Amino acid sequence: MATVISGKELSASMKAEMAEQVKAFPAKYGRVPHLVVVLVGDDPASVSYVTGKAKASAEVGIRNTTLRRSAEISEEELLALIDELNADDEVDGILVQLPLPRHIDEQKVIAAIRREKDVDGFHPLNVARLWLKEPCTLPCTPKGILRMLQRAGVEIAGKRAVVIGRSNIVGLPVAKLLLDANATVTIAHSRTQNLPSVTREADILVVAIGKPRFVTVDMVRPGAVVIDVGVNRDPQTGKLCGDVDYAAVEPIASVITPVPGGVGPMTIACLMENTIECFLKRQAK
Ligand code: NAP
């Protein structure tokens, strides 16, 4: 039986601590941090993520403004909105909910956000600074994963870590953070040959693919630490499930994260943390 890391509980305690911290801000700085979330279109998953971010902001005491725009908005109009938010002194964090409609260049929009207000940690300069080991805003999901590993007392240094997935928002940055924590890291992807033989070498297995229950028990070394980033709908039941076959893998893993209630809530808690960090850095200037 594995130790189950509850992202729900850990994020709740992080949010409670942040709420205490934020309470002192009006007296000290005259206001609380302000996060602006831009939602383009009405994709149900995006709407639910944005709602979750607004709810967490309320719990922490962060001011949250969600700006909804039609899926027909032009790239130019969206860039003009970002410019406005960049120039607004009362805005500390700007998050553009992804994905954007196909006629808008996501990278262009992300690069238009002032680095100091990039609470997602996706701006090219934040990405560059992560790879240069310079102080930067860390992307929320990888940051949350490392926090979970630390909280569970998982030793990372010297261990063999395998990350499945090489996206800019999860796979690559989490691999870099594990490397910085002195793991020996392998990044696997859709072109990896004999994936089970690679994943079975992992002391720490991070799975960020987006395929329901893709990682089966034969792909996991007994005693491994398994972090499931995936958020999928079970094709049969329609319920949320991860990329790992949890029921089969949990009995042989040493530590595992559930879906839902694992990495997802940690991502949001780290977004709150990033918003506070951006606010404090701007206050210090
Ligand atoms: P993504 O951009 O679609 O990347 C998926 C990665 O998985 C790609 O690198 C792809 O390889 C790899 N892959 C696909 N099929 C594979 C296979 N058969 N074998 C090995 N690798 C395979 O996805 P993402 O944005 O990283 O997200 C991954 C999952 O995490 C999704 O379910 C997403 O919803 C979830 N997610 C959760 C959170 C959270 O807070 N919980 C945050 C972000 C994402 P190639 O590069 O070769 O195509």
Side-chain angles (χ1 to χ4, degrees):
M1 293 289 274
T3 299
V4 179
I5 317 178
S6 168
K8 205 172 159 189
E9 281 171 23
L10 180 50
S11 68
S13 74
M14 283 171 69
K15 284 186 285 187
E17 276 172 34
M18 286 188 270
E20 277 306 306
Q21 188 190 6
V22 170
K23 257 190 210 161
F25 289 172
K28 213 168 166 188
Y29 305 110
R31 64 181 187 88
V32 295
H34 183 196
L35 170 66
V36 176
V37 178
V38 180
L39 173 61
V40 178
D42 52 10
D43 169 62
S46 293
V47 171
S48 115
Y49 290 138
V50 165
T51 309
K53 288 164 189 175
K55 188 169 162 268
S57 301
E59 285 167 24
V60 173
I62 287 175
R63 179 178 162 204
N64 183 296
T65 305
T66 301
L67 300 176
R68 293 193 71 157
R69 293 293 181 269
S70 134
E72 314 304 319
I73 191 172
S74 69
E75 186 179 281
E76 211 181 355
E77 286 166 327
L78 186 56
L79 291 171
L81 174 61
I82 303 291
D83 272 352
E84 243 175 71
L85 299 171
N86 279 338
D88 188 338
D89 247 359
E90 300 264 306
V91 173
D92 304 291
I94 305 169
L95 183 152
V96 178
Q97 185 63 44
L98 302 179
L100 290 171
R102 279 143 76 107
H103 65 277
I104 298 177
D105 181 344
E106 277 183 5
Q107 286 310 318
K108 206 166 165 184
V109 173
I110 292 167
I113 297 171
R114 261 177 65 185
R115 187 180 82 80
E116 294 80 5
K117 298 191 180 192
D118 168 37
V119 282
D120 252 342
F122 294 165
H123 188 282
L125 287 176
N126 272 324
V127 176
R129 291 175 76 94
L130 166 66
W131 288 89
L132 293 169
K133 278 204 203 178
E134 296 283 334
C136 63
T137 300
L138 293 176
C140 303
T141 303
K143 186 179 184 179
I145 291 170
L146 267 284
R147 200 56 68 74
M148 290 174 109
L149 291 171
Q150 282 153 1
R151 185 58 75 99
V154 173
E155 205 188 312
I156 301 175
K159 299 291 186 214
R160 189 73 197 261
V162 175
V163 178
I164 321 181
R166 52 177 166 180
S167 70
N168 289 334
I169 62 169
V170 189
L172 287 182
V174 82
K176 173 66 167 115
L177 292 181
L178 288 165
L179 186 61
D180 288 349
N182 295 316
T184 301
V185 183
T186 300
I187 304 175
H189 45 77
S190 67
R191 307 289 292 272
T192 299
Q193 288 183 359
N194 198 357
L195 184 63
S197 74
V198 175
T199 57
R200 272 197 302 268
E201 288 188 2
D203 300 308
I204 301 169
L205 179 62
V206 180
V207 190
I209 310 173
K211 295 200 164 142
R213 301 195 185 93
F214 178 88
V215 171
T216 47
V217 67
D218 56 302
M219 295 170 74
V220 181
R221 195 178 60 72
V225 172
V226 180
I227 306 290
D228 190 351
V229 188
V231 180
N232 313 291
R233 290 272 163 208
D234 182 302
Q236 264 100 49
T237 64
K239 287 190 180 160
L240 282 187
C241 71
D243 287 346
V244 174
D245 182 357
Y246 185 90
V249 171
E250 188 270 332
I252 69 145
S254 62
V255 175
I256 195 164
T257 63
V259 178
V263 174
M266 292 301 292
T267 297
I268 297 195
C270 288
L271 172 67
M272 298 299 115
E273 217 176 66
N274 283 355
T275 305
I276 294 172
E277 278 173 24
C278 287
F279 169 80
L280 289 174
K281 275 188 204 142
R282 295 184 64 245
Q283 295 301 320
K285 277 191 178 164

